[in-house]
Amino acid sequence: MDDWQRLYEKHETKLDQLYDDVEEGRPEGLLAFAQEYPDLLALSRYGDVTEESLLHMAARAGQTEVCQLLLELGLEPNRVYIRAGYSTALELAAGEGHLETCACLLNAGAAVDGLPLSVCTPLYAAALSGHEHVVALLLTKGAEINRLHLRYNDSALDAARGWNQQAVARQLEARGGRSISDVDVADAEGAGQSIVTFVHNTAGWVLPAVFSPSIEVPDTSLHISLLNGKVDYKLLFTVGLYNKVPMTELFICLPGDWPLPRKEWPAQGPWRFPVQMLERLGIQTLECEPLQEGCLLLRSDPAYADLSWPESVDALLVVDKPWNKEGDQEDIPEDEKVNLFILAPVKFTAKGEPSGKALTALVERKRKASWKALALDADC
């Protein structure tokens, strides 16, 4: 990054003129610069790696001809603007309603949904601002209509409704768009619904199933609960493992902005870990036996070593955390109880893996820990 900043400082005057040429649609200025300084085209604004690229600048301004030229000169269509929530050029163009620019970027290979760490999708950005034609284009190109915004954990339909973009809202509804406030009426009496209802009433709002990632475990699904009805932390949990006795379901607490995979994202990456682990443990539960409190799932265990563990996590500890601060409100017969186990992240001390009394003490601490302390670190 220091090298980039030195390059910017060395060529500051010409780069600032280039920014004006790009944003104001002067391709001749861009071509002249590219002929003299081709290696500087990849430089982010001001030489700051977290800032926007030339393609972001052109896309936001709706300069389609300049965008096309930048792409022909080799700029990457899916490069992210880190400071703006890992946004892509397509997201910026969509948010401003630049239909031709969006089409240009899509034709060049821009990811229609943005990248895994993109906080806001192009569809969400277009819906928020009421750009009907851009919304239609993105849907035609396969945009995932019910992908969640990573900070607000709501959908494009929620954004359209919230900003009174009625035409866009109707368009999304007609194509299968859902709101996080929708109730899955068809599942109200379904198998496992009592677990979902309990989590909804005790931990926080459980989103409709359509917003959850899929899991390849027989008769098992994943669900998302926004803890305390807010967006700071969320629970990803299973429903279906209760079919094995003793009955259990598994929960992982995540930061509210943790991206949950929905489509064909890269096979590796720490953001995939929660789904990978729940899938692995779900199969293990149904084919072997359920987990018990105090079980330590080690990163080094060959059964889990191939998963995309976050760097800061050495193990997951199975904890039976109390769900009601006031204590259980009713006695449930033993044969009807379902153990709702939290998989709490653990970072080993210099002493290494805890055992015996140290492990018992750790379980007790994790039982009493806040959701913040139980959440995986967002070190993706």
Side-chain angles (χ1 to χ4, degrees):
M1 182 170 66
D2 291 340
D3 290 342
W4 279 30
Q5 288 174 337
R6 282 194 290 270
L7 280 172
Y8 170 73
E9 291 169 2
K10 181 179 179 180
H11 303 284
E12 181 175 355
T13 301
K14 290 189 176 182
L15 282 167
D16 286 347
Q17 178 59 53
L18 174 64
Y19 301 157
D20 289 341
D21 289 339
V22 166
E23 292 175 323
E24 295 173 18
R26 293 190 287 267
E28 64 279 1
L30 169 59
L31 276 173
F33 184 92
Q35 290 171 356
E36 187 173 0
Y37 304 105
D39 294 339
L40 294 184
L41 293 177
L43 205 66
S44 296
R45 190 187 282 267
Y46 312 130
D48 183 343
V49 71
T50 68
E51 271 288 350
E52 61 184 341
S53 70
L54 293 175
L55 191 61
H56 286 96
M57 300 177 208
R60 187 184 61 249
Q63 300 297 350
T64 305
E65 184 179 354
V66 173
C67 279
Q68 184 63 49
L69 181 55
L70 287 168
L71 292 164
E72 292 172 357
L73 289 168
L75 267 68
E76 165 57 47
N78 290 312
R79 182 168 166 180
V80 295
Y81 179 2
I82 297 174
R83 191 186 296 275
Y86 290 83
S87 61
T88 61
L90 179 60
E91 179 197 322
L92 299 188
E96 296 296 333
H98 301 311
L99 182 64
E100 291 184 3
T101 305
C102 288
C104 170
L105 291 165
L106 286 164
N107 290 336
V112 69
D113 289 318
L115 299 186
L117 296 182
S118 297
V119 170
C120 177
T121 67
L123 180 64
Y124 189 105
L128 179 76
S129 300
H131 300 304
E132 297 177 59
H133 297 303
V134 174
V135 168
L137 172 66
L138 294 170
L139 291 175
T140 299
K141 294 294 185 177
E144 186 172 358
I145 198 167
N146 289 316
R147 179 170 158 181
L148 293 172
H149 188 285
L150 291 190
R151 289 196 181 135
Y152 306 136
N153 283 291
D154 64 356
S155 68
L157 178 57
D158 289 307
R161 287 177 177 174
W163 288 89
N164 201 31
Q165 309 293 358
Q166 296 301 324
V168 170
R170 288 192 295 270
Q171 184 181 14
L172 292 169
E173 290 166 359
R175 296 290 294 271
R178 297 286 301 278
S179 164
I180 62 169
S181 299
D182 291 343
V183 176
D184 284 335
V185 178
D187 295 333
E189 302 297 331
Q193 185 59 34
S194 61
I195 296 171
V196 174
T197 300
F198 175 82
V199 175
H200 186 94
N201 293 336
T202 307
W205 188 271
V206 175
L207 305 186
V210 69
F211 295 110
S212 299
S214 60
I215 187 172
E216 295 185 10
V217 181
D219 302 318
T220 303
S221 57
L222 293 179
H223 300 264
I224 300 168
S225 169
L226 302 182
L227 286 167
N228 301 316
K230 300 178 181 178
V231 295
D232 298 330
Y233 297 97
K234 60 193 175 192
L235 286 176
L236 182 67
F237 65 100
T238 63
V239 171
L241 303 185
Y242 68 89
N243 287 305
K244 183 80 171 186
V245 178
M247 295 189 290
T248 64
E249 297 296 353
L250 303 176
F251 294 70
I252 294 182
C253 184
L254 304 168
D257 60 357
W258 189 288
L260 292 169
R262 298 280 299 163
K263 280 189 176 178
E264 295 303 320
W265 288 10
Q268 298 301 314
W271 60 84
R272 298 192 66 92
F273 175 73
V275 175
Q276 289 178 329
M277 179 55 89
L278 289 175
E279 188 169 71
R280 189 71 54 87
L281 294 175
I283 293 172
Q284 176 182 312
T285 296
L286 297 177
E287 293 184 353
C288 301
E289 59 181 2
L291 296 171
Q292 296 182 352
E293 184 177 35
C295 179
L296 202 57
L297 309 172
L298 301 175
R299 181 193 192 108
S300 59
D301 189 326
Y304 316 114
D306 62 312
L307 302 184
S308 305
W309 288 76
E311 288 297 324
S312 61
V313 181
D314 291 320
L316 293 177
L317 179 64
V318 180
V319 177
D320 189 6
K321 179 180 173 64
W323 288 81
N324 289 316
K325 293 180 180 180
E326 297 78 15
D328 293 335
Q329 300 300 311
E330 58 179 324
D331 290 329
I332 302 175
E334 286 298 323
D335 62 351
E336 296 181 13
K337 283 185 178 179
V338 180
N339 295 313
L340 307 182
F341 288 141
I342 304 295
L343 304 180
V346 176
K347 178 70 174 175
F348 294 158
T349 66
K351 295 181 180 180
E353 178 186 343
S355 60
K357 292 182 178 179
L359 180 58
T360 300
L362 179 60
V363 170
E364 286 301 316
R365 289 200 301 273
K366 292 293 185 180
R367 278 181 182 167
K368 300 173 183 177
S370 65
W371 289 117
K372 179 179 180 179
L374 293 172
L376 288 178
D377 285 341
D379 55 3
C380 297

